Amino acid sequence: MKIVDVQVIVTSPTRNFVTLKITTSDGIIGLGDATLNGRELAVASYLRDHISPLLIGRDPSRIEDTWNYLYKGAYWRRGPVTMAAVAAVDMALWDIKGKVAGLPLYQLLGGASRTGCLAYAHATGADLPELIDSVHEQLDLGYRAIRVQTGVPGLEKVYGVGHSGVATYEPADRGARPSEEIWDTSAYLRHIPSVFEQLRNHFGQELPLLHDAHHRLTPQQAARLGKELEPYDLFWLEDVTPAENPAALRLVRQHTTIPLAIGEVFNNIWDTELLLSEQLIDFIRCAIVHAGGITHVRKIWSLAELYQVRAASHGPTDVSPINFAAAVHMGLSAANFGIQEHMRHQPLVDEVFRHAFRFDDGYLHPGEEPGLGVSLDEELASRYPYESAYLPVAYLPDGTLHDW
Ligand code: KDG
Ligand code: MG
């Protein structure tokens, strides 16, 4: 069997997604996600112009070999654009392998290690009453773990917090330019501990609560926040410091026992090596699509397992259901799975990408369809052409551009 056709499909059913479609000489189709929020067309070009011609004629069963061919063979390794493109090929080849075998991906990865993957939902509110309502909404949907993001007094807008009555948290704005937000770390640090105190008073001690600091703190600020949140027993505190300096977490770790999670902007095992080997974190959060696909993220998770670090793949709405399916298959099978982020896509996205994975009573299951269990409705997808969209940028009150 050989690869005979490779297509890159860009579609925007409410937000942009880049999909790689590989067809074999036996007519089997494999799909891979290549979406990189705000930089989608760079990955589409990398795939169309540089990778697709190399795939024609290759044996689709040689996943490991193809991964190394694209990674080592290019000389230019790493980086989110390269690794998203390699990941898309990798996911599509695993999808094909599953379809050839007639088995869902999780069976190829060693079979189920659990009956379902614990999921966490997002709750957001401009103020405490809105936030409490939002947590109740997610609990009513069946979630058993909740990530909370909240407005900060004095700040008009806070990234990740639903605004103007919009409950869903949509992390990219359509428009010619990124929107701009004013950020004030001191105001944030003063406010957050009291939010968790009140959430614990309202919801009790048992509900797993998570929080994301979006890489905006210095190590000293992060250590202080971790210490102040310890009484509220968070499931984790995410992305406290800018992720390109893993050693920053040494100081944080020395000062707080709060569980730490990081990794959504990582794209390579070397980004994780110091954090894992020094046991500076508790959860590794790479997205399958942004860290080289199933083949590479499996290696990261295996390294993490050695150090009692649990796997918790990034699962926002800005990766497609193809990536999400891969994450749930991997989560079901990995010994050191921790939890899976679950931001629900808009219904239209689920129509374009029909999927076998399902959410039920707090847990996700990948379903039993062969491969990844996702199909793309190309006719529907073609009705929603690409639209330019960016993540917002953050400025301090004096006009200084801040860490994301
Ligand atoms: O594209 C960026 C988003 O995926 C990210 O900001 C969402 O932090 C996020 C999360 O934890 O889902
Ligand atoms: Mg995050």
Side-chain angles (χ1 to χ4, degrees):
M1 190 163 49
K2 290 195 177 344
I3 295 173
V4 294
D5 190 47
V6 181
Q7 283 180 42
V8 180
I9 297 155
V10 182
T11 178
S12 193
T14 70
R15 62 157 34 265
N16 295 315
F17 296 108
V18 180
T19 304
L20 185 73
K21 177 183 169 193
I22 295 181
T23 307
T24 72
S25 47
D26 288 8
I28 297 173
I29 288 170
L31 298 178
D33 183 22
T35 308
L36 184 62
N37 196 8
R39 297 292 186 271
E40 297 87 356
L41 298 186
V43 190
S45 162
Y46 195 111
L47 283 166
R48 270 192 196 117
D49 300 328
H50 303 292
I51 286 190
S52 300
L54 306 179
L55 296 178
I56 303 296
R58 282 187 83 83
D59 176 352
S61 72
R62 299 182 61 157
I63 300 177
E64 186 77 26
D65 181 47
T66 300
W67 195 94
N68 281 291
Y69 179 69
L70 297 175
Y71 179 78
K72 296 182 180 167
Y75 183 65
W76 309 107
R77 301 179 184 186
R78 311 170 58 165
V81 174
T82 299
M83 297 304 277
V86 175
V89 176
D90 185 73
M91 280 184 228
L93 296 185
W94 277 104
D95 194 23
I96 290 168
K97 195 176 278 299
K99 288 172 179 166
V100 169
L103 291 171
L105 175 68
Y106 79 85
Q107 292 289 9
L108 303 183
L109 300 178
S113 288
R114 54 195 53 79
T115 51
C117 300
L118 178 67
Y120 71 88
H122 286 204
T124 80
D127 54 23
L128 192 68
E130 261 190 33
L131 181 59
I132 288 177
D133 285 351
S134 176
V135 175
H136 277 298
E137 273 170 33
Q138 300 306 319
L139 292 175
D140 290 347
L141 287 170
Y143 289 96
R144 294 159 183 254
I146 313 282
R147 183 188 107 153
V148 291
Q149 304 297 122
T150 170
V152 173
L155 298 186
E156 204 180 309
K157 222 172 151 189
V158 173
Y159 176 72
V161 176
H163 46 90
S164 58
V166 182
T168 48
Y169 150 47
E170 197 51 28
D173 288 333
R174 289 170 179 237
R177 302 262 166 179
S179 63
E180 297 179 355
E181 295 174 1
I182 300 296
W183 173 252
D184 180 341
T185 309
S186 302
Y188 167 79
L189 290 174
R190 281 194 301 274
H191 184 57
I192 292 297
S194 67
V195 171
F196 278 93
E197 182 184 9
Q198 293 175 75
L199 289 175
R200 280 292 175 223
N201 289 342
H202 188 92
F203 291 100
Q205 298 305 308
E206 281 178 29
L207 177 64
L209 294 174
L210 302 83
H211 179 66
D212 188 349
H214 287 300
H215 305 115
R216 289 187 178 185
L217 308 179
T218 64
Q220 178 275 334
Q221 291 165 339
R224 170 185 151 188
L225 180 64
K227 274 165 80 160
E228 290 183 359
L229 291 178
E230 276 174 25
Y232 313 115
D233 193 20
L234 270 61
F235 187 93
W236 78 39
L237 180 59
E238 174 180 334
D239 289 350
V240 281
T241 49
E244 64 265 54
N245 177 17
L249 291 183
R250 287 185 182 132
L251 185 131
V252 183
R253 199 62 153 174
Q254 278 159 15
H255 291 278
T256 174
T257 57
I258 195 164
L260 296 171
I262 200 163
E264 66 183 51
V265 298
F266 291 167
N267 44 69
N268 190 275
I269 198 165
W270 292 104
D271 295 333
T272 72
E273 196 269 340
L274 182 134
L275 293 171
L276 297 176
S277 61
E278 293 193 18
Q279 294 179 285
L280 300 180
I281 56 171
D282 302 280
F283 295 90
I284 184 71
R285 290 193 66 257
C286 311
I288 315 304
V289 51
H290 302 140
I294 296 155
T295 297
H296 196 61
V297 173
R298 272 181 98 198
K299 292 176 186 176
I300 294 173
W301 288 13
S302 295
L303 182 63
E305 191 183 346
L306 298 182
Y307 298 104
Q308 292 175 287
V309 174
R310 288 192 282 161
S313 172
H314 188 212
T317 40
D318 52 82
V319 295
S320 92
I322 301 169
N323 173 95
F324 196 75
V328 180
H329 281 281
M330 291 181 70
L332 196 75
S333 65
N336 59 331
F337 168 78
I339 197 167
Q340 177 59 51
E341 179 180 30
H342 189 210
M343 281 179 78
R344 284 164 187 258
H345 285 110
Q346 301 286 337
L348 181 60
V349 176
D350 290 332
E351 274 181 55
V352 171
F353 297 90
R354 296 229 172 254
H355 54 78
F357 67 77
R358 58 179 192 275
F359 172 80
D360 187 25
D361 200 19
Y363 291 87
L364 289 153
H365 196 282
E368 299 298 339
E369 283 184 18
L372 291 168
V374 184
S375 60
L376 176 67
D377 182 335
E378 289 184 56
E379 196 283 314
L380 189 57
S382 70
R383 289 191 228 159
Y384 303 98
Y386 171 80
E387 277 187 48
S388 171
Y390 289 99
L391 284 155
V393 292
Y395 287 93
L396 297 179
D398 71 355
T400 306
L401 191 94
H402 191 57
D403 282 310
W404 206 84

